[in-house]
Amino acid sequence: MSGNEPPPVPSAPSAPWARRPWALPAAVAAEFDPDRAPRKSGRGPRRTARDWLVDFACFFVAVVIGMVGADAIGKNPNVSPGLAEADQLIGALACAAVWLRRRWPVGLAIAMVLVSVVSDTAGGAVAVALFTLAVRRPFRYVGWIGGISICVVPFAYGMRPDPDMPFLLGVLFGVLINASVIGWGMFVRSRRQLLLSLRDRAIRAENEATLRAEQAQCLARESIAREMHDVLAHRLTLLSVHAGALEFRPDAPRQEIVRAAGVIRESAHEALQDLREVIGVLRGGGDSEASGRPQPTLAALETLVAESRDAGMKVALDHRVTDPAAVPAAVGRTAYRIAQEGLTNARKHAPGAEVTVLVSGAPGEGLTLSVRNPPPPGDVPKVPGSGQGLIGLTERAMLAGGRIEHGTTGDGGFRVDAWLPWPGS
């Protein structure tokens, strides 16, 4: 794998429950399967098979506990037969109301707390309602309603005392039952929230990995585009300028035609070499040595200027750096590319004008580079350009920790001024 290829995107861990949505509560299954069909009434997702089993189990528990309570209330000598029958009727209605627990958990819990004061047969329905409230609603509801349910236990036991159990023991037993049911429901709710948070974390991690891969691809494309522009634009501009000269001056002296053809041939050869270099760098994963040709540094600036002069440009180089080899390779390469782009633009937009290149700096002070040209002395032939050269130079300078400014001068010329950091020794 080359350095320009994005890392593989890890997939989110798939929980075993995600492959069996029927075994999950409806709210959790909807998170794992967003396409799950909601109810037509808009009351949330449809119940799963597990929900139906739990609902039947809750109804069964409420009925069983209600039957035990009905038998006990019928044998209680402290309760009249009429009150016992009313207790059993209220308990039966409470058991039937258990089927409303998903739709109105808060209302059902409040109603069951009130019913618990007058009916022992509704004990199972009260427990189911408190459990449902703790599972489906936040603690602010559970705290108030659960606290009230615990507070009414002494009143309910005082109205229908058990002849076989002391008052304090009966109250303690009722408080313990209510607290256990509420605690169990809060545990189930926290476990569901943990499962959903782990799911969200896995999705977030997958999205972040995808974003990092896309950013890596974008950076790789930008690096390729910048390198192709920097390496080939200079050569192709030479080809365009000299080919244009041959086109507009077919009657030029033979020596000039031969000279221009030689420059075109040499530029084409250099362009092919540079293209091989770029391809080698990309295949080598960004390693400049993989292409077999070293990357240019500030020491190659004089060669660049000489090449431009051979192509017919007027270039004045003021090189004030005493030891170009001492400039860090990355800084020198950035300075070289800036000078190369400046000369290329001057050759395209101001042919015949004298270009001034000034380089100065020292360790600890930074490296300063300036490329300036006056307005063109005559008509400027139209030369195609990408329009991305100065943008690429700005990005290069920023990546190197420097800055660059460019624009027209007062006399109609153009300037490119750059400063790059040169750490002290």
Side-chain angles (χ1 to χ4, degrees):
M1 178 183 295
S2 66
N4 292 321
E5 294 181 2
V9 180
S11 59
S14 177
W17 307 286
R19 296 189 293 269
R20 298 190 300 271
W22 56 268
L24 293 172
V28 179
E31 294 291 334
F32 284 96
D33 185 12
D35 296 331
R36 184 177 180 81
R39 296 183 182 180
K40 294 181 180 180
S41 58
R43 298 198 305 267
R46 294 181 179 275
R47 299 183 191 183
T48 61
R50 175 193 177 280
D51 290 338
W52 284 107
L53 291 176
V54 171
D55 289 344
F56 276 107
C58 289
F59 178 72
F60 179 76
V61 168
V63 170
V64 170
I65 297 177
M67 293 175 64
V68 173
D71 182 68
I73 203 69
K75 298 178 180 179
N76 192 338
N78 299 321
V79 180
S80 63
L83 290 178
E85 292 179 2
D87 187 303
Q88 295 169 3
L89 177 61
I90 295 174
L93 295 177
C95 291
V98 166
W99 290 100
L100 303 177
R101 70 187 189 93
R102 293 184 183 273
R103 187 170 185 180
W104 295 301
V106 176
L108 180 64
I110 295 175
M112 290 299 103
V113 169
L114 298 177
V115 167
S116 67
V117 180
V118 298
S119 175
D120 285 348
T121 311
V126 173
V128 171
L130 292 176
F131 174 79
T132 303
L133 177 70
V135 171
R136 301 180 70 85
R137 290 296 181 266
F139 181 75
R140 63 178 181 270
Y141 296 100
V142 180
W144 282 103
I145 300 176
I148 294 174
S149 70
I150 292 176
C151 291
V152 301
V153 170
F155 297 98
Y157 195 81
M159 293 177 60
R160 298 175 303 279
D162 190 340
D164 299 328
M165 185 179 296
F167 177 80
L168 291 180
L169 183 60
V171 170
L172 180 62
F173 180 75
V175 170
L176 182 62
I177 290 296
N178 284 7
S180 300
V181 170
I182 294 173
W184 183 24
M186 294 177 63
F187 169 76
V188 173
R189 176 179 175 84
S190 64
R191 186 173 179 274
R192 289 184 182 180
Q193 291 178 336
L194 176 62
L195 179 62
L196 293 179
S197 66
L198 293 176
R199 171 67 176 177
D200 292 340
R201 186 180 301 177
I203 294 175
R204 193 180 305 113
E206 182 178 4
N207 293 337
E208 291 176 355
T210 303
L211 180 60
R212 286 195 298 269
E214 292 176 353
Q215 290 176 344
Q217 290 177 344
C218 182
L219 291 176
R221 285 193 292 265
E222 290 178 357
S223 178
I224 294 171
R226 188 183 301 114
E227 193 68 22
M228 292 290 288
H229 180 276
D230 292 342
V231 171
L232 297 179
H234 180 71
R235 307 295 180 189
L236 296 181
T237 301
L238 284 177
L239 287 172
S240 178
V241 169
H242 287 280
L246 291 178
E247 179 182 2
F248 287 102
R249 294 192 58 190
D251 57 344
R254 178 178 177 81
Q255 293 181 350
E256 292 186 10
I257 295 177
V258 171
R259 178 174 171 275
V263 172
I264 291 174
R265 179 185 58 81
E266 185 66 22
S267 298
H269 176 73
E270 292 292 334
L272 290 175
Q273 292 294 332
D274 291 337
L275 182 59
R276 293 191 187 99
E277 176 185 351
V278 172
I279 295 175
V281 170
L282 298 179
R283 287 179 176 174
D287 186 4
S288 61
E289 295 180 358
S291 63
R293 301 180 65 192
Q295 290 289 314
T297 61
L298 189 63
L301 183 59
E302 294 184 356
T303 303
L304 175 66
V305 171
E307 181 182 87
S308 299
R309 288 170 178 167
D310 292 340
M313 287 188 66
K314 300 176 182 178
V315 184
L317 175 62
D318 187 359
H319 206 321
R320 300 180 184 178
V321 178
T322 56
D323 186 10
V327 179
V331 176
R333 179 165 58 252
T334 303
Y336 178 92
R337 294 303 188 192
I338 293 174
Q340 184 183 53
E341 181 66 21
L343 292 174
T344 300
N345 289 339
R347 185 182 300 113
K348 290 192 296 184
H349 304 297
E354 184 177 9
V355 184
T356 302
V357 180
L358 172 62
V359 185
S360 62
E365 298 179 359
L367 183 67
T368 302
L369 175 67
S370 177
V371 181
R372 296 171 178 264
N373 64 267
D379 296 334
V380 179
K382 185 176 181 180
V383 179
S386 65
Q388 302 295 320
L390 294 176
I391 297 177
L393 292 184
T394 303
E395 293 176 353
R396 276 186 178 273
M398 291 178 62
L399 291 175
R403 58 182 179 271
I404 188 171
E405 297 178 356
H406 53 80
T408 58
T409 59
D411 59 355
F414 197 82
R415 63 178 181 85
V416 176
D417 299 322
W419 177 86
L420 302 172
W422 184 355
S425 57

